[in-house]
């Protein structure tokens, strides 16, 4: 009986270890596919990243996406806002 409890405890610890190891990877994967959420904080961060870019066509496109995101946020169009912010953030990370 004691041996069975010990094996069960070891199995439970192994399952917990795997869950803790996989959870951050799953969260990162989910975030990558969901894009940037529409919030004032994300808007500010994305706008700052775009402003830091060198002047070129990519920056100008990203600025337009930020502007469209602001407009969508003001009109409570959260999905559109997030989509525009995601495109602007992606452009700001381009090399």
């Amino acid at each position: 009986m004691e041996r069975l409890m010990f094996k069960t405890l070891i199995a439970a610890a192994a399952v917990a270890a795997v869950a803790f190891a996989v959870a951050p990877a799953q969260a990162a994967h989910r975030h990558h596919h969901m894009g940037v959420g529409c919030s004032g904080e994300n808007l500010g961060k994305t706008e700052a990243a775009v402003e830091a870019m060198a002047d070129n066509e990519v920056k100008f496109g990203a600025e337009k996406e930020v502007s469209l995101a602001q407009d969508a946020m003001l009109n409570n169009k959260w999905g559109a806002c997030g989509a525009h912010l995601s495109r602007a953030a992606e452009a700001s990370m381009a090399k």
Side-chain angles (χ1 to χ4, degrees):
M1 182 72 173
E2 221 175 277
R3 185 177 174 120
L4 178 60
M5 288 177 66
F6 184 70
K7 283 185 177 181
T8 304
L9 181 61
I10 295 294
V15 169
V18 169
F20 283 115
V22 173
Q26 289 295 330
H29 180 73
R30 213 176 1 247
H31 178 72
H32 174 72
H33 288 290
M34 287 173 39
V36 176
C38 185
S39 70
E41 181 181 359
N42 287 341
L43 185 63
K45 287 179 183 178
T46 304
E47 192 170 21
V50 169
E51 288 301 315
M53 294 172 67
D55 287 343
N56 58 34
E57 291 300 315
V58 176
K59 179 179 180 175
F60 302 140
E63 287 174 332
K64 181 168 177 93
E65 292 293 340
V66 168
S67 176
L68 291 169
Q70 289 171 333
D71 185 57
M73 180 186 270
L74 291 172
N75 290 299
N76 296 321
K77 296 179 181 177
W78 306 111
C81 173
H84 290 300
L85 274 182
S86 291
R87 286 192 285 270
E90 189 175 306
S92 74
M93 290 184 268
K95 295 183 178 181

